[in-house]
Amino acid sequence: MKPLFLFARHPSFESEWPFVPERMAARLSEFGEVHVLKASREPLHRQADLSEVWGLVWFGGAFTPECVAVAPRLRVVGGITDNAGYGLPVEALAAREIPFIDATRAWGQSVAEVALGLALGALRQIPHWHCRLARGEPLWQYPYAQFCDNPELVNGDLGTKQVGVIGLGAIGSRVARWCVALGSTVRGFDPFVPEERVHGWGVEPVSLDRLVDESEVLFVLVPPTPSAKHLLNRERIGRLRKGALVVAVTRAHAIDMAALRERILADELAGAFDVYDVEPLSPDDPLRGRANVVHTPHIAGRTRDANLRVADVIADDFARILRGKPPQAVLTPEAMRVRTEVVAVPET
């Protein structure tokens, strides 16, 4: 008898997560029967019969301890925690040893590429030159100098820079290795990654204070866990060298954005952001339209490739468990306990 999979997704899932629905259904149907539920905010066990469900793909509806209790055949759950948890029934899953397959890692490549792109764009002022050219400014009139950098800010080649990376997970490790490949001197801070692994990437593991003191380009790539709150605090922001570039993707949770804004608005630092302390960024936010800021509207992770990987990460691990093998993207109960302290159930 083929296992039964329930794919629970919120009503706007197709528009918010294009390519995931079709890929997920197609992959799961290779080795089981798939039921799709367009879920409301109500607990899942009030919207569907969970008694025969072997695997749950959770992208909508409230997933509660009661849901686990009425699903005696449930063996695995998959979804996206976004490194936050989203109200998972941690203890109920742990008591039954039901693994949670976290596809958040599927965004790693796409988000890291945007982080690198923001840094390159800021160092060379690429968006600003694009806008001037698009507006029709007479940039080729004589005399014309092709020097394009802002000498008041860290500028030019990323490969000549002292780079610091806060957070060396799926995103930060990629950024660190790519900067090494470009020729940068790279230092990293992440107390959860073994130092020998960091050294293996050609990156020097250092204290956070040393990282701040020595960085010309600082990437902040930390998930929004309680311990990460304002790692880059006011005192550390005050110590950043004049003209340094701060690049933020994933979340602004680790940055004292009020302090960072002060130095950016004083033209003492440059910023390259995909995430902010308040989203969406208001039309009158003073970060807009500045020569020392390059930014995008929190779009780093949702590419076609990343969305397809979301489905594949979950489906691949469901298949491994069916074959009696350990999953690769499992989120441990300890990690879930930490992450559920941050954010509640996702909007549906």
Side-chain angles (χ1 to χ4, degrees), residues 9 11 13 21 31 37 65-66 82-83 107 110 120 163 166 183 188 194 209 226 241 249 259 274 276 285 322 324 345:
R9 61 203 207 201
F13 186 78
F31 42 84
L37 172 68
E66 290 76 17
D82 199 7
N83 290 310
W107 294 341
S110 295
L120 294 170
V163 170
I166 303 177
D209 288 328
R241 66 179 67 188
V249 298
D274 185 56
Y276 310 87
D285 193 295
L322 274 170
V345 177

Side-chain angles (χ1 to χ4, degrees), residues 161-230:
K161 301 298 178 287
Q162 303 288 318
V163 170
V165 182
I166 303 177
L168 294 169
I171 297 167
S173 62
R174 283 179 167 89
V175 170
R177 285 178 281 137
W178 295 343
C179 288
V180 168
L182 287 171
S184 309
T185 298
V186 184
R187 300 177 182 90
F189 171 79
D190 193 323
F192 303 103
V193 179
E195 288 194 359
E196 58 270 20
R197 185 185 306 170
V198 179
H199 281 298
W201 300 330
V203 176
E204 181 184 5
V206 298
S207 70
L208 184 54
D209 288 328
R210 182 181 166 195
L211 191 75
V212 167
D213 290 341
E214 298 182 358
S215 294
E216 297 173 278
V217 179
L218 180 62
F219 291 90
V220 186
L221 309 173
V222 183
T225 56
S227 62
K229 179 70 172 178
H230 286 188

Side-chain angles (χ1 to χ4, degrees), residues 48 58 89 100 104 133 136 144 157 203 281 295 306 310 314 343:
W58 178 50
F100 183 86
T104 303
L133 191 62
Y144 168 60
D157 301 347
V203 176
L281 203 63
H295 47 190
V310 165
I314 294 172
V343 190

Side-chain angles (χ1 to χ4, degrees), residues 14-55:
E14 282 81 358
S15 60
E16 294 181 14
W17 293 85
F19 306 105
V20 176
E22 296 82 2
R23 181 73 149 228
M24 187 73 74
R27 288 295 315 278
L28 294 178
S29 64
E30 294 172 4
F31 42 84
E33 180 181 349
V34 183
H35 290 185
V36 176
L37 172 68
K38 289 196 174 182
S40 70
R41 293 175 180 267
E42 289 291 310
L44 291 175
H45 72 286
R46 297 179 185 170
Q47 303 181 61
D49 180 6
L50 305 182
S51 61
E52 298 297 322
V53 173
W54 185 92

